[in-house]
């Protein structure tokens, strides 16, 4: 897909659009197809099946790199780095990789729309939920109470945190299943 962005033929754009729209594909490949269309200069909206629903995406709004995502979304992974840099300096690498994969999975869906509309406090909610999931996945254990305290998650934020945790857990289960 990435190499198709350099083909200067109108049929290539049509091919990528048809490929994207014809049937459900892995969300990461769909996101790459959107990036390819943007790089090819395509604009406008495209509708395609994703995660069991039909989504409508404006091609020119598709981020081409991590720094192209809105600041609030980038702040979520920055916050994980801030918290983990002293005690687990390599942790942020896995968190960043997982967050980028999650964003490709969520892009164009109601989950992504929710991330775009979140308030400042939601940065800590999503960052701590991601941290908890990865800590459990990588190390087999997580001190949830300590983690919530570290991120400043208070009682009023618990419901929002549980929802973020559930969304991220479902994503990890679907795309990174346990080998056992």
């Amino acid at each position: 897909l990435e190499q198709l962005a350099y083909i200067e033929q109108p049929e290539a754009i049509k091919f990528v659009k048809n490929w994207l729209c014809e049937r459900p594909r892995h969300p990461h490949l769909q996101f790459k197809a959107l990036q390819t269309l943007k790089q090819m200069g395509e604009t406008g909206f495209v509708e395609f099946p994703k995660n069991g629903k039909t989504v409508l995406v404006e091609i020119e709004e598709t981020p081409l790199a991590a720094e192209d995502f809105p600041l609030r979304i980038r702040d979520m992974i920055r916050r994980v780095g801030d918290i983990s840099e002293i005690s687990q300096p390599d942790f942020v690498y896995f968190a960043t990789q997982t967050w980028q994969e999650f964003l490709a999975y969520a892009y164009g869906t109601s989950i992504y729309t929710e991330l775009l509309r979140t308030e400042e406090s939601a940065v800590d909610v999503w960052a701590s939920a991601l941290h908890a999931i990865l800590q459990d996945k990588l190390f087999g254990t997580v001190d949830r109470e300590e983690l919530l305290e570290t991120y400043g998650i208070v009682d009023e934020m618990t419901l929002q945190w549980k929802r973020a945790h559930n969304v991220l857990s479902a994503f990890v289960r679907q795309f990174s299943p346990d080998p056992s």
Side-chain angles (χ1 to χ4, degrees), residues 100-159:
Q100 291 302 317
E101 291 171 8
F102 173 71
L103 291 176
Y105 164 81
Y107 189 75
T109 69
S110 60
I111 296 167
Y112 188 79
T113 302
E114 179 184 327
L115 289 172
L116 290 175
R117 294 181 180 155
T118 58
E119 296 179 17
E120 184 65 32
S121 62
V123 169
D124 286 327
V125 167
W126 281 91
S128 60
L130 176 66
H131 196 136
I133 288 190
L134 287 177
Q135 201 163 20
D136 187 42
K137 188 84 172 156
L138 294 170
F139 307 117
T141 183
V142 60
D143 184 342
R144 189 173 290 185
E145 293 306 315
E146 180 183 331
L147 195 62
L148 294 178
E149 185 178 319
T150 301
Y151 278 92
I153 306 301
V154 294
D155 289 343
E156 299 82 44
M157 302 162 86
T158 303
L159 189 58

